[in-house]
Amino acid sequence: MSLLNIIHYPDKRLHTVAKPVVAVDARIQKLVADMAQTMYAAPGIGLAATQVDVHEQVIVIDISETRSDLRVFINPQILKAEGSSVHEEGCLSVPGIYDRVTRAERITVSALNAEGETFTLDADELLAVCIQHEMDHLKGKVFVEYLSPLKQTRIRNKLKKHLRETM
Ligand code: K2U
Ligand code: ZN
């Protein structure tokens, strides 16, 4: 397994729309393993392939306290979305920035697992937030885009300044 490089906002590659996975083969299974290792090391509770510059529809999530409940979503689709809730969000691609985002409170999602089998999941609370956040990444959308233009400008300038200082 390998640690992958997480690209940071406002890198334009984060706005690439991911393509459906054609076959859950050894290459995809290695990508899942590398993404999981990268997520745990970050640490984060979710990671989309877009964030490691792979533009295919693959997401890994683990919201467990024990970091031992890895969930893999390949070619995820939301079948049902209900309610509305506001949650503090962060993002491994936008380090140090946290803000409140409104999303569906409950979702039903269908996807392929790491063995290529179709499954359906009902999710709420943090799992629902994380799945929606990661699925946004696959659509080329970063959570800061839900914030005001002024906040987005300030975040972009802050991260560009940080990048200049660390080069
Ligand atoms: O996409 C990512 O960078 C992974 C996020 C997943 C996440 C986003 C919003 C709300 C919950 C999870 C990272 O795990 S950011 C770190 C984090 C962890 C728990 C709560 C908030 C942020
Ligand atoms: Zn994110």
Side-chain angles (χ1 to χ4, degrees), residues 6-9 14 42-48 51 88-99 103 133-134 137 141-144 159:
I6 296 175
I7 52 183
H8 286 169
Y9 185 84
L14 287 170
I45 60 174
L47 189 69
Q51 294 176 274
E88 174 95 345
E89 297 195 14
C91 182
L92 297 175
S93 294
V94 193
I97 304 295
Y98 296 88
D99 213 319
R103 296 188 188 274
H133 176 110
E134 303 310 338
H137 276 302
K141 186 162 187 169
V142 182
F143 88 98
V144 297
L159 291 179

Side-chain angles (χ1 to χ4, degrees), residues 61-121:
I61 290 176
D62 187 343
I63 62 168
S64 68
E65 292 292 324
T66 54
R67 318 293 282 146
S68 60
D69 182 18
L70 181 68
R71 296 168 185 266
V72 178
F73 300 80
I74 298 168
N75 299 343
Q77 293 183 312
I78 291 182
L79 304 180
K80 187 166 62 175
E82 296 170 311
S84 175
S85 79
V86 181
H87 195 283
E88 174 95 345
E89 297 195 14
C91 182
L92 297 175
S93 294
V94 193
I97 304 295
Y98 296 88
D99 213 319
R100 296 160 65 77
V101 176
T102 301
R103 296 188 188 274
E105 186 175 18
R106 293 174 304 281
I107 60 173
T108 299
V109 60
S110 173
L112 299 177
N113 63 19
E115 289 68 45
E117 301 155 338
T118 301
F119 69 95
T120 301
L121 176 74

Side-chain angles (χ1 to χ4, degrees), residues 38 45 69 76 117 124 138 158:
T38 304
I45 60 174
D69 182 18
E117 301 155 338
D124 60 5
L138 298 182
K158 179 182 176 186

